[in-house]
Amino acid sequence: MAQRETWTSRIGFIFAAVGSAVGLGNIWSFPFQTAANGGAAFLVVYLLAVFLIGFPTMMVEFVIGRRGEQNPIASFGKIGYGNWSFTGGLGLFSSLITLSFYSVVGGWVLSYILGSATGAYFGDAGAYFGSVASGPTAIGGHLVFMVLTIGIVASGVTDGIERATKVMIPGVLLLLVALAGWATTLDGAAEGYSYYLSPDFGVIASNFGSIVPPAMGQAFFTLSLGFSVMIAYSSYLGRDDSLPADGGAIVVVNTLIALLAGFVVFPILFATGGAEGAGGGAGTAFVALAGAFGSLPAGGIIGFFFFAVLLFAALSSSISLLEVPVSYVSENYGYKRSTTAVAMGGLIAVIGVPATFGTSWLGFYNDLVFKLLLPISVLLLAVFVGWVADREAVDELGRGSSVGESFTSAWLWWVRLVVPVAVIVTLYLGVEALYTGLASGAYF
Ligand code: PHE
């Protein structure tokens, strides 16, 4: 068998992993979830979730991936626990489902780039969303987005993924900084910043049950955890890289980009009406932003750049979602990477078609992943590394890094106790919400 590819450099890995992490989650869902869940109150809980639960969980995936040096399913066997490979399989399944609707939203983004250039959404932002979010335009956008994703993954880990993210991520960062600078000039800026940044701890206390699940779900989603993605990416990593240092850099950059997106979105929202109505599901963000771009001076140009950022961010994430099944199928069955990318991408495109019929399917896919699949996956991963895997696997954390024994032990106990408890609470609240939604006919 051909030799397995590895990242060309440590920076190459960090770019690819940041590319996976930074996506629609940061720029589209983070600001709008924050707006819908009380602003700064949500932000505080989200940041705690990212650093206290997300970062240790990322280390769990890195340990499995680098120790296993195989695709996310085979890695479990390689470490000596083949009967846990279903955990990698669950992540793979979540990747399939997620990419199928992620790509539909990616298709909307394509339509909004066009709409910014032609001014098509300037008159009636709501009607424009209706015309592109379902039906033939939605299917077309979804397919184009999948073709772009397949093209990059088919080119390989270094020539495709690494090279693409090295261009896209700096592009996202620069454009977001420019947009945030522009946003300071808007009329609603001061009010927007205050809603975004001054937490009301009373709001957190009285809305704990409704803030925690979306904040935790968002933390896992934005860091690409529970999808086997970070297992796959870290399996291409050299032995002498520091997992905690690389992971820390990834978490920090990802968080900064989400925060920056908030500095763009909140002034826009408050310049044109405030945070009310920001929580109405998948489309509200597009309608609210497009409405704002349609009414602000030079809005078309700003909109064009904003949606271009969103496209880059989405693509650098979608390629990581496709990499999971592609690495598994091509390694396990010996098919060529490019053929596998086309076949798996085609399958995912088909799974995504119902999400082009209307936003309720899309909402269902989304909630299924956020509220059920991700927490279960993270729980299994934490239990596996915390309680099942032997010490040799656990010690992978410190290899190639300067962190000592005590860091590894503290992390291990955190993964044994704190992560599972937090995730079980989230899972309970999330399943309850999912059940209520299904029973009340909120989806179908
Ligand atoms: N982290 C990406 C985002 O925030 C989504 C994603 C999840 C990408 C899982 C890959 C894997 O948009």
Side-chain angles (χ1 to χ4, degrees):
M1 205 169 101
Q3 225 213 316
R4 223 167 168 264
E5 277 189 283
T6 55
W7 306 110
T8 55
S9 65
R10 175 171 175 213
I11 289 296
F13 164 68
I14 293 179
F15 266 113
V18 166
S20 170
V22 171
L24 296 171
N26 303 57
I27 300 165
W28 173 56
S29 100
F30 164 73
F32 283 86
Q33 294 227 42
T34 307
N37 288 297
F42 179 85
L43 180 62
V44 170
V45 180
Y46 166 75
L47 289 175
L48 289 175
V50 162
F51 286 98
L52 297 182
I53 309 297
F55 175 70
T57 304
M58 184 177 280
M59 294 303 102
V60 167
E61 293 209 15
F62 280 4
V63 160
I64 299 170
R66 187 171 65 178
R67 185 124 197 98
E69 285 190 304
Q70 302 276 321
N71 65 70
I73 293 187
S75 279
F76 285 88
K78 185 81 182 306
I79 309 176
Y81 300 92
N83 50 358
W84 274 79
S85 41
F86 72 92
T87 306
L90 181 63
L92 188 148
F93 177 72
S94 306
S95 289
L96 293 181
I97 300 290
T98 302
L99 181 52
S100 79
F101 73 84
Y102 205 83
S103 161
V104 172
V105 180
W108 300 353
V109 175
L110 288 167
S111 295
Y112 274 89
I113 293 180
L114 280 181
S116 308
T118 60
Y121 60 67
F122 287 14
D124 185 340
Y128 186 74
F129 181 74
S131 72
V132 303
S134 61
T137 316
I139 298 193
H142 167 56
L143 293 181
V144 172
F145 188 87
M146 277 311 300
V147 168
L148 294 173
T149 305
I150 291 168
I152 301 174
V153 173
S155 311
V157 172
T158 52
D159 287 345
I161 298 178
E162 192 175 323
R163 195 182 286 171
T165 49
K166 272 185 176 162
V167 179
M168 291 195 280
I169 289 305
V172 166
L173 195 61
L174 285 178
L175 287 175
L176 270 184
V177 169
L179 287 168
W182 164 81
T184 59
T185 65
L186 295 177
D187 263 349
E191 224 187 317
Y193 297 142
S194 139
Y195 183 74
Y196 180 35
L197 300 172
S198 353
D200 177 344
F201 290 96
V203 173
I204 305 182
S206 54
N207 295 290
F208 190 76
S210 67
I211 291 184
V212 169
M216 288 275 279
Q218 177 64 20
F220 294 139
F221 188 78
T222 190
L223 295 173
S224 307
L225 299 172
F227 294 88
S228 296
V229 165
M230 291 300 174
I231 303 183
Y233 273 21
S234 57
S235 75
Y236 302 118
L237 199 55
R239 284 270 166 225
D240 47 1
D241 274 317
S242 162
L243 300 181
D246 288 7
I250 293 160
V251 171
V252 167
V253 175
N254 181 64
T255 306
L256 286 178
I257 291 187
L259 291 175
L260 204 50
F263 279 98
V264 180
V265 169
F266 279 94
I268 294 180
L269 283 182
F270 279 80
T272 51
E276 283 98 63
T284 3
F286 283 89
V287 177
L289 288 171
F293 293 140
S295 63
L296 293 169
I301 300 172
I302 301 289
F304 182 84
F305 284 114
F306 182 86
F307 291 116
V309 168
L310 212 47
L311 179 68
F312 280 160
L315 268 177
S316 67
S317 295
S318 63
I319 53 183
S320 71
L321 286 165
L322 184 57
E323 175 62 20
V324 174
V326 166
S327 71
Y328 171 66
V329 172
S330 62
E331 279 180 16
N332 205 43
Y333 300 100
Y335 296 130
K336 256 175 60 188
R337 161 177 278 275
S338 49
T339 321
T340 316
V342 173
M344 294 312 293
L347 173 71
I348 292 167
V350 172
I351 302 177
V353 167
T356 65
F357 296 164
T359 49
S360 49
W361 260 99
L362 195 130
F364 175 69
Y365 278 169
N366 183 72
D367 286 359
L368 188 67
V369 169
F370 266 72
K371 297 191 167 129
L372 187 67
L373 298 177
L374 286 193
I376 293 183
S377 220
V378 171
L379 184 59
L380 288 170
L381 289 166
V383 169
F384 173 70
V385 167
W387 297 98
V388 179
D390 56 24
R391 184 71 199 197
E392 194 162 336
V394 167
D395 281 340
E396 183 68 32
L397 183 74
R399 271 182 209 118
S401 114
S402 56
V403 302
E405 259 307 282
S406 51
F407 181 89
T408 304
S409 298
W411 166 75
L412 180 61
W413 280 100
W414 197 264
V415 167
R416 283 185 171 164
L417 302 174
V418 181
V419 173
V421 169
V423 175
I424 288 170
V425 172
T426 308
L427 185 61
Y428 173 79
L429 295 169
V431 168
E432 199 179 32
L434 194 62
Y435 178 78
T436 316
L438 278 170
S440 68
Y443 301 107
F444 306 111

Short mmCIF file of all heavy atoms in Angstrom, two decimals, residues 131-170:
data_model
loop_
_atom_site.label_atom_id
_atom_site.label_comp_id
_atom_site.label_asym_id
_atom_site.label_seq_id
_atom_site.Cartn_x
_atom_site.Cartn_y
_atom_site.Cartn_z
N SER A 131 -36.73 32.44 -2.06
CA SER A 131 -36.51 31.95 -3.43
C SER A 131 -35.23 31.15 -3.57
O SER A 131 -35.10 30.34 -4.48
CB SER A 131 -36.52 33.12 -4.42
OG SER A 131 -35.34 33.89 -4.27
N VAL A 132 -34.25 31.35 -2.68
CA VAL A 132 -33.00 30.59 -2.84
C VAL A 132 -32.86 29.43 -1.87
O VAL A 132 -32.05 28.54 -2.08
CB VAL A 132 -31.73 31.49 -2.74
CG1 VAL A 132 -31.78 32.60 -3.77
CG2 VAL A 132 -31.54 32.04 -1.34
N ALA A 133 -33.64 29.44 -0.77
CA ALA A 133 -33.39 28.45 0.28
C ALA A 133 -34.06 27.11 0.02
O ALA A 133 -33.76 26.12 0.68
CB ALA A 133 -33.83 29.00 1.63
N SER A 134 -34.99 27.06 -0.89
CA SER A 134 -35.58 25.76 -1.21
C SER A 134 -35.85 25.71 -2.71
O SER A 134 -35.81 26.73 -3.38
CB SER A 134 -36.86 25.52 -0.40
OG SER A 134 -37.80 26.51 -0.70
N GLY A 135 -36.07 24.50 -3.18
CA GLY A 135 -36.36 24.36 -4.61
C GLY A 135 -35.10 24.27 -5.45
O GLY A 135 -34.01 24.02 -4.94
N PRO A 136 -35.26 24.49 -6.76
CA PRO A 136 -34.16 24.27 -7.70
C PRO A 136 -32.89 25.07 -7.38
O PRO A 136 -31.78 24.53 -7.50
CB PRO A 136 -34.74 24.72 -9.05
CG PRO A 136 -36.19 24.81 -8.87
CD PRO A 136 -36.50 24.90 -7.42
N THR A 137 -33.03 26.33 -6.98
CA THR A 137 -31.83 27.13 -6.67
C THR A 137 -31.06 26.50 -5.52
O THR A 137 -29.83 26.43 -5.53
CB THR A 137 -32.22 28.58 -6.29
OG1 THR A 137 -33.20 29.03 -7.19
CG2 THR A 137 -31.01 29.48 -6.30
N ALA A 138 -31.80 26.02 -4.52
CA ALA A 138 -31.15 25.41 -3.36
C ALA A 138 -30.42 24.12 -3.77
O ALA A 138 -29.29 23.88 -3.35
CB ALA A 138 -32.17 25.12 -2.27
N ILE A 139 -31.08 23.33 -4.60
CA ILE A 139 -30.43 22.08 -5.05
C ILE A 139 -29.18 22.42 -5.85
O ILE A 139 -28.11 21.83 -5.66
CB ILE A 139 -31.40 21.23 -5.92
CG1 ILE A 139 -32.59 20.83 -5.06
CG2 ILE A 139 -30.67 20.00 -6.48
CD1 ILE A 139 -33.45 19.75 -5.67
N GLY A 140 -29.31 23.39 -6.75
CA GLY A 140 -28.16 23.78 -7.58
C GLY A 140 -26.99 24.25 -6.71
O GLY A 140 -25.84 23.81 -6.90
N GLY A 141 -27.28 25.11 -5.77
CA GLY A 141 -26.21 25.64 -4.89
C GLY A 141 -25.55 24.51 -4.10
O GLY A 141 -24.33 24.44 -3.98
N HIS A 142 -26.39 23.62 -3.58
CA HIS A 142 -25.91 22.46 -2.82
C HIS A 142 -24.95 21.62 -3.67
O HIS A 142 -23.86 21.25 -3.23
CB HIS A 142 -27.14 21.68 -2.37
CG HIS A 142 -26.91 20.30 -1.84
ND1 HIS A 142 -26.06 20.04 -0.79
CD2 HIS A 142 -27.45 19.10 -2.20
CE1 HIS A 142 -26.09 18.73 -0.53
NE2 HIS A 142 -26.92 18.15 -1.37
N LEU A 143 -25.34 21.38 -4.92
CA LEU A 143 -24.49 20.55 -5.78
C LEU A 143 -23.17 21.25 -6.10
O LEU A 143 -22.10 20.62 -6.06
CB LEU A 143 -25.23 20.16 -7.06
CG LEU A 143 -26.43 19.24 -6.84
CD1 LEU A 143 -27.10 18.88 -8.17
CD2 LEU A 143 -26.02 17.95 -6.10
N VAL A 144 -23.24 22.54 -6.40
CA VAL A 144 -21.99 23.26 -6.71
C VAL A 144 -21.07 23.23 -5.49
O VAL A 144 -19.86 22.96 -5.60
CB VAL A 144 -22.28 24.73 -7.11
CG1 VAL A 144 -20.99 25.52 -7.24
CG2 VAL A 144 -23.07 24.77 -8.42
N PHE A 145 -21.64 23.45 -4.32
CA PHE A 145 -20.82 23.44 -3.11
C PHE A 145 -20.18 22.06 -2.89
O PHE A 145 -19.00 21.95 -2.54
CB PHE A 145 -21.66 23.84 -1.89
CG PHE A 145 -20.85 24.03 -0.64
CD1 PHE A 145 -20.27 25.26 -0.34
CD2 PHE A 145 -20.63 22.97 0.24
CE1 PHE A 145 -19.49 25.43 0.80
CE2 PHE A 145 -19.86 23.14 1.39
CZ PHE A 145 -19.29 24.38 1.66
N MET A 146 -20.95 21.00 -3.12
CA MET A 146 -20.39 19.64 -2.96
C MET A 146 -19.28 19.39 -3.98
O MET A 146 -18.27 18.76 -3.65
CB MET A 146 -21.49 18.58 -3.13
CG MET A 146 -22.32 18.29 -1.90
SD MET A 146 -21.43 17.99 -0.36
CE MET A 146 -20.45 16.56 -0.75
N VAL A 147 -19.45 19.88 -5.20
CA VAL A 147 -18.42 19.67 -6.22
C VAL A 147 -17.12 20.36 -5.80
O VAL A 147 -16.02 19.79 -5.91
CB VAL A 147 -18.90 20.17 -7.60
CG1 VAL A 147 -17.74 20.24 -8.59
CG2 VAL A 147 -20.00 19.26 -8.14
N LEU A 148 -17.22 21.57 -5.26
CA LEU A 148 -16.02 22.27 -4.79
C LEU A 148 -15.34 21.47 -3.68
O LEU A 148 -14.12 21.29 -3.66
CB LEU A 148 -16.38 23.67 -4.27
CG LEU A 148 -16.90 24.68 -5.31
CD1 LEU A 148 -17.39 25.96 -4.62
CD2 LEU A 148 -15.80 25.01 -6.32
N THR A 149 -16.15 20.98 -2.74
CA THR A 149 -15.61 20.20 -1.62
C THR A 149 -14.91 18.93 -2.12
O THR A 149 -13.78 18.62 -1.71
CB THR A 149 -16.75 19.81 -0.65
OG1 THR A 149 -17.42 21.01 -0.25
CG2 THR A 149 -16.23 19.08 0.56
N ILE A 150 -15.58 18.24 -3.01
CA ILE A 150 -15.02 16.99 -3.55
C ILE A 150 -13.69 17.27 -4.26
O ILE A 150 -12.71 16.54 -4.10
CB ILE A 150 -16.02 16.32 -4.52
CG1 ILE A 150 -17.24 15.81 -3.75
CG2 ILE A 150 -15.35 15.17 -5.29
CD1 ILE A 150 -18.41 15.40 -4.64
N GLY A 151 -13.66 18.36 -5.03
CA GLY A 151 -12.45 18.70 -5.78
C GLY A 151 -11.24 18.85 -4.87
O GLY A 151 -10.15 18.35 -5.17
N ILE A 152 -11.43 19.53 -3.75
CA ILE A 152 -10.29 19.75 -2.85
C ILE A 152 -9.87 18.44 -2.18
O ILE A 152 -8.68 18.12 -2.13
CB ILE A 152 -10.63 20.82 -1.78
CG1 ILE A 152 -10.99 22.15 -2.46
CG2 ILE A 152 -9.45 21.01 -0.82
CD1 ILE A 152 -11.48 23.22 -1.51
N VAL A 153 -10.83 17.69 -1.68
CA VAL A 153 -10.48 16.45 -0.96
C VAL A 153 -9.84 15.43 -1.91
O VAL A 153 -8.89 14.73 -1.55
CB VAL A 153 -11.73 15.85 -0.26
CG1 VAL A 153 -11.42 14.48 0.33
CG2 VAL A 153 -12.19 16.79 0.84
N ALA A 154 -10.34 15.40 -3.15
CA ALA A 154 -9.78 14.45 -4.11
C ALA A 154 -8.31 14.75 -4.38
O ALA A 154 -7.53 13.85 -4.70
CB ALA A 154 -10.57 14.50 -5.42
N SER A 155 -7.89 16.00 -4.24
CA SER A 155 -6.48 16.35 -4.50
C SER A 155 -5.53 15.91 -3.40
O SER A 155 -4.31 16.05 -3.56
CB SER A 155 -6.34 17.85 -4.68
OG SER A 155 -7.29 18.33 -5.57
N GLY A 156 -6.05 15.45 -2.28
CA GLY A 156 -5.16 14.89 -1.26
C GLY A 156 -4.99 15.77 -0.04
O GLY A 156 -5.46 16.91 0.01
N VAL A 157 -4.29 15.20 0.96
CA VAL A 157 -4.16 15.89 2.24
C VAL A 157 -3.28 17.13 2.11
O VAL A 157 -3.64 18.22 2.55
CB VAL A 157 -3.60 14.93 3.31
CG1 VAL A 157 -3.26 15.66 4.59
CG2 VAL A 157 -4.60 13.83 3.59
N THR A 158 -2.12 16.98 1.49
CA THR A 158 -1.23 18.16 1.42
C THR A 158 -1.57 19.05 0.24
O THR A 158 -1.68 20.26 0.38
CB THR A 158 0.24 17.73 1.35
OG1 THR A 158 0.38 16.79 0.29
CG2 THR A 158 0.69 17.11 2.65
N ASP A 159 -1.75 18.45 -0.95
CA ASP A 159 -2.01 19.29 -2.13
C ASP A 159 -3.41 19.89 -2.13
O ASP A 159 -3.63 20.95 -2.69
CB ASP A 159 -1.85 18.47 -3.42
CG ASP A 159 -0.39 18.18 -3.69
OD1 ASP A 159 0.45 18.85 -3.07
OD2 ASP A 159 -0.10 17.29 -4.51
N GLY A 160 -4.35 19.20 -1.53
CA GLY A 160 -5.71 19.71 -1.50
C GLY A 160 -5.99 20.48 -0.22
O GLY A 160 -6.06 21.70 -0.19
N ILE A 161 -6.11 19.73 0.88
CA ILE A 161 -6.60 20.32 2.12
C ILE A 161 -5.63 21.37 2.67
O ILE A 161 -6.00 22.50 2.98
CB ILE A 161 -6.84 19.21 3.17
CG1 ILE A 161 -7.92 18.25 2.66
CG2 ILE A 161 -7.24 19.81 4.51
CD1 ILE A 161 -8.22 17.09 3.56
N GLU A 162 -4.35 20.97 2.78
CA GLU A 162 -3.40 21.89 3.42
C GLU A 162 -3.25 23.16 2.59
O GLU A 162 -3.29 24.28 3.10
CB GLU A 162 -2.04 21.18 3.58
CG GLU A 162 -1.09 21.94 4.47
CD GLU A 162 0.21 21.17 4.74
OE1 GLU A 162 0.16 19.92 4.87
OE2 GLU A 162 1.26 21.81 4.81
N ARG A 163 -3.11 22.99 1.28
CA ARG A 163 -2.89 24.16 0.43
C ARG A 163 -4.11 25.09 0.43
O ARG A 163 -3.98 26.30 0.53
CB ARG A 163 -2.58 23.69 -0.99
CG ARG A 163 -2.00 24.80 -1.83
CD ARG A 163 -1.73 24.35 -3.24
NE ARG A 163 -0.58 23.48 -3.36
CZ ARG A 163 -0.28 22.85 -4.51
NH1 ARG A 163 -1.07 22.97 -5.56
NH2 ARG A 163 0.79 22.10 -4.57
N ALA A 164 -5.30 24.49 0.34
CA ALA A 164 -6.52 25.32 0.29
C ALA A 164 -6.70 26.11 1.58
O ALA A 164 -7.02 27.30 1.56
CB ALA A 164 -7.74 24.44 0.02
N THR A 165 -6.46 25.45 2.73
CA THR A 165 -6.73 26.16 3.98
C THR A 165 -5.68 27.25 4.23
O THR A 165 -5.98 28.25 4.85
CB THR A 165 -6.77 25.21 5.19
OG1 THR A 165 -5.63 24.36 5.16
CG2 THR A 165 -8.02 24.35 5.16
N LYS A 166 -4.48 27.05 3.71
CA LYS A 166 -3.45 28.09 3.91
C LYS A 166 -3.82 29.38 3.19
O LYS A 166 -3.33 30.45 3.54
CB LYS A 166 -2.09 27.60 3.40
CG LYS A 166 -1.33 26.84 4.47
CD LYS A 166 0.06 26.48 3.96
CE LYS A 166 0.87 25.79 5.05
NZ LYS A 166 2.02 25.07 4.50
N VAL A 167 -4.64 29.29 2.16
CA VAL A 167 -5.11 30.50 1.48
C VAL A 167 -6.38 31.02 2.14
O VAL A 167 -6.54 32.22 2.37
CB VAL A 167 -5.40 30.19 -0.01
CG1 VAL A 167 -5.91 31.44 -0.71
CG2 VAL A 167 -4.15 29.66 -0.67
N MET A 168 -7.30 30.09 2.45
CA MET A 168 -8.62 30.53 2.88
C MET A 168 -8.61 31.15 4.28
O MET A 168 -9.28 32.15 4.52
CB MET A 168 -9.59 29.36 2.82
CG MET A 168 -9.90 28.94 1.38
SD MET A 168 -11.33 27.88 1.21
CE MET A 168 -10.67 26.29 1.65
N ILE A 169 -7.85 30.57 5.20
CA ILE A 169 -7.94 31.06 6.58
C ILE A 169 -7.39 32.49 6.73
O ILE A 169 -8.05 33.35 7.33
CB ILE A 169 -7.27 30.05 7.55
CG1 ILE A 169 -8.15 28.80 7.64
CG2 ILE A 169 -7.08 30.64 8.93
CD1 ILE A 169 -9.60 29.08 8.02
N PRO A 170 -6.21 32.80 6.18
CA PRO A 170 -5.78 34.20 6.25
C PRO A 170 -6.78 35.13 5.55
O PRO A 170 -7.04 36.24 6.05
CB PRO A 170 -4.44 34.20 5.51
CG PRO A 170 -3.95 32.80 5.61
CD PRO A 170 -5.16 31.93 5.61
#
